[in-house]
Amino acid sequence: MADDAGRLYGKPEVRIDGAAKVTGQARYASDEPVANPAYAYLVTSAISRGHITGMDLAAAEAVPGLLDILTHETVGKEAKPPVGPDQKPTTTTLETTQVWHDGQIIAVVVADSFEAAREAAHRVVVHYAPETPSATFDSPGAEAEVRKTDEQHKDPAKGDAPAAFAAAPVKIDARYETPTQHHNPLELFTTTCVWDGPKLTIYEPTQTMYGLKAAVAKQLGMEPADVRTISRYVGGAFGSKGAATSRTVWIAIAARRLKRAVKLVPTRDQAFTIATYRAETRHHLQLAANRDGKLQALIHEGWEVTSRPSSYNVSGTETTARMYACPNIATKVNVVHADRNTPGFMRAPPDTPYMFALESGMDELAHELGMDPIELRRINDTQTDPVDGKPFSSRSLMKCFDAAAAKFGWAKRDPKPGAMRDGDWLVGYGCATSCYPSNIGPAAARLSLTPRGKAVIQLAGHEIGTGAYTTVAITVAGGLGLKVTDIQVFMGDSNLPPVPVAGGSNNAASTAHVAAKACEEIRQKLALAAVQNNAGIFAGADPSKLRLTDGALAGPDGRREPLETAVGRVAGGALEVHVENVPEGLPPDAAAGLYQGKMAMSRGTGRKDVTAYAFGAQFVEVRIHALTREIRTPRIVSAFASGTIVNPLTAYSQYMGGAIWGVSSALHEATEIDLREARYVNDNLADYLVPVNADIDHLDVIFVPEEDSRVNPLGIKGIGEIGIVGMNAAVANAVFHATGKRIRKLPIRIEHLL
Amino acid sequence: MRPFRYEHAADRAQALQLANGPREATASAHITAPIQYLAGGTTLIDLMKLDVMRPEVLVDINALAGQHGAIRADASGLHLGALARMADAADDLVVRRDYPMIAQSLELAASPQLRNMASLGGNVLQRTRCNYFRDPSWTACNKRHPGSGCAAMDGVNRKLAVLGASDHCIANYPGDFGVALAALGATVDIEGAGGRRVLAFEDLHRLPGDTPHIETNLKPGELITGFTVPAGPWTRRSLYLKIRDRQSYEFALTSAAVALDVEGGVVREARIGLGGLAAKPWRSHEAEAALKGRPLDEAAAHAAADAALAKAAGHGEATFKIELGRRTLVRALLQAHAMEV
Ligand SMILES: Cc1cc2nc3c(=O)[nH]c(=O)nc-3n(C[C@H](O)[C@H](O)[C@H](O)COP(=O)(O)OP(=O)(O)OC[C@H]3O[C@@H](n4cnc5c(N)ncnc54)[C@H](O)[C@@H]3O)c2cc1C
Ligand code: SF4
């Protein structure tokens, strides 16, 4: 009967929180009303490496309304050091006098008003003992190390790749680079802390309600039960709010010292340094094939920048090694430590940069072979994971290519680079494979149903703009046989049952399965009570045959008992269940870990039975002015097969947003670093470019139907990240087609084409 | 941002009186001036929030729009009040028809919200977007702190100047409208404690030299009241071509303001400005001279572009702008030549 939960899947459903959002009723963390808050403003370091030798606070303290200044000296010992997104050591802030990176939090100024706090912060004078910092790759003093394999990261390998590469008749050997990028969600990294005796409430936009709670409790030496996190709506996250950051404990401590609520709304430029980012990467890719196009060797080595103390890395070779049938594979990943903040998750963290290399390389190889790039992918398509031979749970890659190619008009492409032109504009067509592993985690939820046919589901889920409230409502409505409008969904509060971090595109799968399970438990309870009740119409019937449908409990013969009776029989006010769902393959203690903020995840690449990925194909037309070389993208077509689509309306938004971000990442986005000072320079939305409406014209998204019963019972693969993955290479490949110039370093700009 | 006093001026006389107090005050010659006129605030308030500008007094001149906000064209030329909004001038039908370069320079700038807010007077006094200037945590910036050095010289400087820069500052003038005014030989009307004066727009801004912190030739307390663009047979065949990384809402990497008076395929007169490339709104008399009396073909356009950029010097990342600037001008000239007027 669990299938009933999917009854309403695939039908476009408007967001149940849409009205609240567009009318300003939706409360983002810093909108939550708290009594008499004081305001915090961060002082951040102006050097990237060295020590603080002292601070002159007198001028700041003289500002009317100033309440407190937290520094290393006043509060440094009150919190334990934080951990990074990988749960391992990371850069510190007020704990010591050490400066690890530009823009590190070094003091927190608290005042009666935001304006007074800001003014006082601007009056703090900091004395440093600076040391020469290392900014990035190739900077003197940057330390490279080979990333060791561990639970999280493997180095997929097979056969003898170097020998096969040497022997093959056609090959490419190329190096690629991707830049530093910042998420720049519109909502900043706010934190508001309120104490009630020993209990702390934190209002903070987060993708990890329980993770944040656990992290803060640990740093402050508190019982997790005494920490509550609230984050009902998140104004964009993209991974940037996927892990706790240093700021939170200092705001908690500030509030404790003042015995008053403290609210922090940091600035845009601080967002570049107090949270995470996508680190710059480098790639050495070697591909070899026979003349028929069959791949013989794939060697992919990556380099990623991280901070001094952290070894955070994304290791996208796990994905690139699995894309195409290839008998010989070798992969390796290196991390390079520099004087930078610790990077973290950003939309499709491993896949976006690593697939740029692989999919550019495939295009180069197709060119070498004189073969259509789609045909090269077709020849090397496979239904088994090339690394370990497991079957893909499903893989509709070529269906995606065919659907997108037809819509795009790929057949009109003259394969010769530089051959297509429209007046003053050079025209290029490019395409690339997109993919994202299908992940699912354990989750818990509380569901109640009233005799009047209204249901309430509660779970500490995360609405980061994806439409998470609505996905859950659709599932419960299906499972209980109600209308979507009959369902109330509460999320974003750690007092509710835990779900995993909203990352890795697991959210829809994890929350839908626990919601479905809760519905099934309610159905069972009602059915059992109904058949055991001698006076009822279902007395003695088989309870497994009774379904919840159209506001009633219904039998196979069409007899119906209204919910009023069916629910009223077991509960006067509401029937409530609390359920936990642990996906197959995860240890039974995975649910217990969830309550402690630990993340157990069934990952698409780590499973025993199958390898699970969603696939897609992305196409783009670029136009490049023959003289001044501006690059435009008038047409984008993407096709994706991601298993069950819960809500096509919000899925479309995710895919579309991902594709636009892909263009952004290929042509616009890069955080510029001053190499001498290891400091970010364009740390504002005027200089950190993202596309505007005028840059995106025709954009098509094709849903390629796909049923996958192996990925998980409801067949949900997740759609949040796949939309960006192929676009970087698709754009670069189109630029090559238009101009004959192969640009292997992103973003591609006018100066590269002059 | 620091505390400041807000003063509202009802008219010009009061504005001048408020801005010419006992302490030396100037609206624009020095970013550290303690008194600043406030028009749309889209440059000024931004820089105050960034703690780059710390005025003690703001004199709000928006109420002067009645006196100095008109847009009017007559036989002598186009008269633009300093408090006309960018959007009003860009949308004006006469401006669009007779001075398309002016309209385009405005409508290709900033965003609709900013154009509704920003005044023409404030626009020409907008300040460089050099990132090191806009972030006071960088200590070396001669424009903010004379003598402190120039962090951009060997730093992130992709967007900065290749024309008119000095060893002390390579900041570029980022605006568009000012480039059109320079190209068309406009004048600027100025009122000060000592009365009225008229300055060639080309002389309003100064080259950085060794005093990049002094950006204009305005005297302390002086107020810009308007601009006059002289009429000429070239204004109708004019355009503003702006090249940038994205298609809207971005400053120019390079731009070309071109006006041509063409007779039988031969250029009688040309008016040429360059944007994004230079330390101040740039008029290229060299390019104009290169075109005068020549048929406008590709060779002539290239010759003019070569002349315009002949003295250009690149610094690091910005060096590509020399070539891009040439191509921008070539394209603009050919496009202007092809215009139906
Ligand atoms: C995100 C962003 C993007 C932008 N993009 C572009 C672009 O693409 N192209 C472009 O050209 N511009 C662009 N701008 C700049 C914008 O056009 C200017 O900020 C605006 O025109 C300034 O006008 P204002 O009236 O707001 O000036 P204000 O900020 O009020 O004043 C600016 C300065 O001029 C002084 N001042 C103002 N009026 C007078 C006067 N009448 N007499 C004497 N002094 C005066 C003030 O004291 C102040 O120092 C952009 C700005 C932003 C914020
Ligand atoms: S270019 Fe000019 S504004 Fe920029 S840092 Fe150098 S001196 Fe300052």
Side-chain angles (χ1 to χ4, degrees), chain A residues 150-235:
Chain A
D150 57 16
E151 283 299 289
Q152 277 255 315
H153 297 302
K154 308 272 181 285
D155 289 328
K158 193 172 76 167
D160 185 348
F165 181 78
V170 186
K171 46 192 129 188
I172 65 117
D173 184 328
R175 291 176 184 268
Y176 303 90
E177 280 187 50
T178 64
T180 316
Q181 295 178 338
H182 278 79
H183 319 72
N184 280 307
L186 273 192
E187 181 196 36
L188 291 161
F189 298 98
T190 76
T191 298
T192 304
C193 288
V194 185
W195 290 89
D196 180 1
K199 291 194 185 286
L200 169 65
T201 301
I202 303 166
Y203 301 94
E204 180 173 305
T206 181
Q207 297 170 261
T208 177
M209 305 293 321
Y210 273 71
L212 178 62
K213 170 189 170 92
V216 172
K218 192 159 177 204
Q219 276 193 272
L220 292 179
M222 294 172 63
E223 278 302 315
D226 287 338
V227 180
R228 179 180 180 191
T229 51
I230 295 183
S231 174
R232 296 180 229 266
Y233 292 96
V234 180

Side-chain angles (χ1 to χ4, degrees), chain B residues 15-333:
Chain B
L16 288 173
Q17 183 222 324
L18 285 165
N20 286 279
R23 302 176 59 173
E24 191 181 84
T26 167
S28 54
H30 202 302
I31 63 157
T32 58
I35 305 181
Q36 296 279 337
Y37 290 120
L38 172 69
T42 63
T43 286
L44 180 58
I45 304 292
D46 237 24
L47 290 173
M48 287 168 66
K49 284 184 183 167
L50 294 170
D51 209 29
V52 172
M53 290 182 69
R54 302 166 184 181
E56 289 158 29
V57 181
L58 295 190
V59 178
D60 185 337
I61 54 171
N62 285 290
L64 276 62
Q67 272 174 303
H68 299 294
I71 300 163
R72 191 169 55 80
D74 58 23
S76 70
L78 175 66
H79 309 280
L80 299 164
L83 285 147
R85 304 289 149 179
M86 289 171 75
D88 295 335
D91 293 346
D92 187 275
L93 292 179
V94 174
V95 177
R96 297 180 78 83
R97 188 192 59 203
D98 294 345
Y99 300 86
M101 175 207 290
I102 298 273
Q104 290 162 14
S105 74
L106 289 164
E107 78 185 354
L108 293 174
S111 66
Q113 294 90 334
L114 285 157
R115 296 196 294 270
N116 286 336
M117 192 83 190
S119 68
L120 297 183
N123 182 289
V124 300
L125 297 176
Q126 64 179 285
R127 294 192 151 82
T128 184
R129 305 295 300 189
C130 172
N131 291 110
Y132 299 98
F133 168 75
R134 289 172 60 85
D135 180 348
S137 70
W138 290 93
T139 43
C141 173
N142 288 327
K143 205 185 259 306
R144 267 192 287 109
H145 289 298
S148 63
C150 170
M153 195 66 73
D154 300 311
V156 174
N157 55 21
R158 176 172 180 262
K159 296 195 177 149
L160 302 189
V162 296
L163 285 168
S166 74
D167 291 346
H168 298 267
C169 177
I170 55 170
N172 65 333
Y173 175 80
D176 296 302
F177 171 61
V179 174
L181 292 179
L184 294 177
T187 55
V188 51
D189 301 323
I190 296 165
E191 296 267 356
R196 176 162 187 264
R197 66 182 180 123
V198 177
L199 200 64
F201 185 78
E202 258 194 286
D203 296 332
L204 177 63
H205 294 84
R206 295 161 53 117
L207 287 176
D210 53 11
T211 54
H213 59 293
I214 304 175
E215 300 187 314
T216 72
N217 287 315
L218 287 177
K219 296 191 193 118
E222 279 188 330
L223 178 74
I224 296 179
T225 54
F227 309 91
T228 296
V229 183
W234 47 78
T235 66
R236 274 205 178 193
R237 184 183 293 284
S238 74
L239 58 76
Y240 188 80
L241 175 67
K242 184 169 176 180
I243 306 298
R244 41 188 164 172
D245 289 311
R246 64 181 174 195
Q247 287 192 54
S248 176
Y249 195 21
E250 203 201 344
F251 292 92
L253 280 173
T254 59
S255 70
V258 168
L260 297 176
D261 176 17
V262 191
E263 176 75 30
V266 173
V267 179
R268 282 212 298 220
E269 285 285 345
R271 295 287 180 270
I272 293 174
L274 294 174
L277 292 157
K280 60 176 242 178
W282 198 259
R283 179 167 173 187
S284 179
H285 298 279
E286 300 85 346
E288 292 172 9
L291 285 173
K292 195 167 169 142
R294 280 185 73 169
L296 208 157
D297 51 15
E298 275 197 37
H302 279 283
D306 287 345
L309 276 301
K311 296 209 184 97
H315 291 271
E317 298 168 337
T319 307
F320 80 98
K321 287 172 59 171
I322 301 174
E323 176 59 19
L324 183 62
R326 276 194 204 103
R327 295 187 186 200
T328 306
L329 182 52
V330 169
R331 182 174 160 193
L333 287 168

Side-chain angles (χ1 to χ4, degrees), chain A residues 467-695:
Chain A
Y469 281 103
T470 313
T471 347
V472 171
I474 292 171
T475 307
V476 173
L480 297 181
L482 299 173
K483 294 203 222 30
V484 173
T485 46
D486 291 328
I487 318 300
Q488 251 194 302
V489 184
F490 289 96
M491 301 200 308
D493 182 342
S494 71
N495 276 358
L496 306 180
V499 307
V501 59
S505 297
N506 85 84
N507 176 68
S510 304
T511 60
H513 281 86
V514 76
K517 189 170 174 187
C519 294
E520 170 59 11
E521 244 182 74
I522 290 223
R523 187 201 65 81
Q524 280 179 14
K525 281 198 182 357
L526 295 180
L528 217 58
V531 301
Q532 286 168 352
N533 184 296
N534 292 334
I537 58 169
F538 294 127
D542 177 355
S544 73
K545 295 274 151 48
L546 303 186
R547 298 178 67 200
L548 285 167
T549 175
D550 293 326
L553 190 63
D557 52 5
R559 281 188 301 165
R560 302 165 58 79
E561 182 177 72
L563 286 183
E564 188 125 30
T565 318
V567 181
R569 177 180 292 128
V570 293
L575 169 61
E576 180 165 283
V577 296
H578 177 274
V579 299
E580 291 170 353
N581 182 56
V582 178
E584 223 180 289
L586 286 181
D589 67 358
L594 204 55
Y595 286 85
Q596 291 143 33
K598 292 199 191 111
M599 191 172 67
M601 192 63 70
S602 161
R603 294 183 181 280
T605 52
R607 290 167 59 151
K608 293 212 168 59
D609 51 349
V610 292
T611 292
Y613 270 83
F615 291 91
Q618 302 196 279
F619 288 66
V620 64
E621 174 183 325
V622 301
R623 290 185 169 230
I624 296 167
H625 194 273
L627 208 51
T628 43
R629 299 281 161 171
E630 306 105 290
I631 310 163
R632 297 188 176 167
T633 51
R635 288 193 309 130
I636 301 164
V637 177
S638 306
F640 302 103
S642 309
T644 302
I645 299 301
V646 176
N647 185 358
L649 203 59
T650 47
Y652 183 86
S653 291
Q654 287 295 303
Y655 286 150
M656 176 177 67
I660 294 171
W661 198 349
V663 171
S664 182
S665 159
L667 297 179
H668 300 289
E669 286 184 51
T671 307
E672 313 280 356
I673 303 170
D674 184 287
L675 294 177
R676 304 157 303 181
E677 302 286 332
R679 300 188 61 193
Y680 301 135
V681 173
N682 59 336
D683 49 1
N684 62 77
L685 287 182
D687 292 305
Y688 184 93
L689 296 189
V690 298
V692 293
N693 267 342
D695 292 302

Side-chain angles (χ1 to χ4, degrees), chain A residues 23-173:
Chain A
T23 56
Q25 305 294 303
R27 273 189 199 151
Y28 293 81
S30 64
D31 302 333
E32 299 275 1
V34 295
N36 188 32
Y39 294 85
Y41 197 94
L42 302 176
V43 179
T44 55
S45 63
I47 65 163
S48 310
R49 182 186 169 101
H51 285 269
I52 295 165
T53 55
M55 292 192 192
D56 295 341
L57 303 179
E61 280 163 349
V63 171
L66 183 98
L67 297 169
D68 197 3
I69 302 180
L70 279 63
T71 64
H72 160 63
E73 280 183 12
T74 57
V75 300
K77 294 198 179 60
E78 291 186 30
K80 296 194 188 74
V83 292
D86 56 0
Q87 302 300 317
K88 294 184 186 146
T90 185
T91 55
T92 51
T93 52
L94 303 188
E95 291 88 348
T96 72
T97 58
Q98 183 154 9
V99 176
W100 297 95
H101 63 85
D102 164 37
Q104 173 185 314
I105 300 172
I106 53 175
V108 182
V109 176
V110 190
D112 271 326
S113 69
F114 173 79
E115 290 75 15
R118 177 173 59 185
E119 187 198 350
H122 284 155
R123 290 180 190 271
V124 171
V125 180
V126 186
H127 302 285
Y128 300 100
E131 295 160 26
T132 306
S134 315
T136 179
F137 298 127
D138 302 339
S139 297
E143 301 160 291
E145 60 171 321
V146 178
R147 196 264 294 114
K148 292 168 207 71
T149 56
D150 57 16
E151 283 299 289
Q152 277 255 315
H153 297 302
K154 308 272 181 285
D155 289 328
K158 193 172 76 167
D160 185 348
F165 181 78
V170 186
K171 46 192 129 188
I172 65 117
D173 184 328

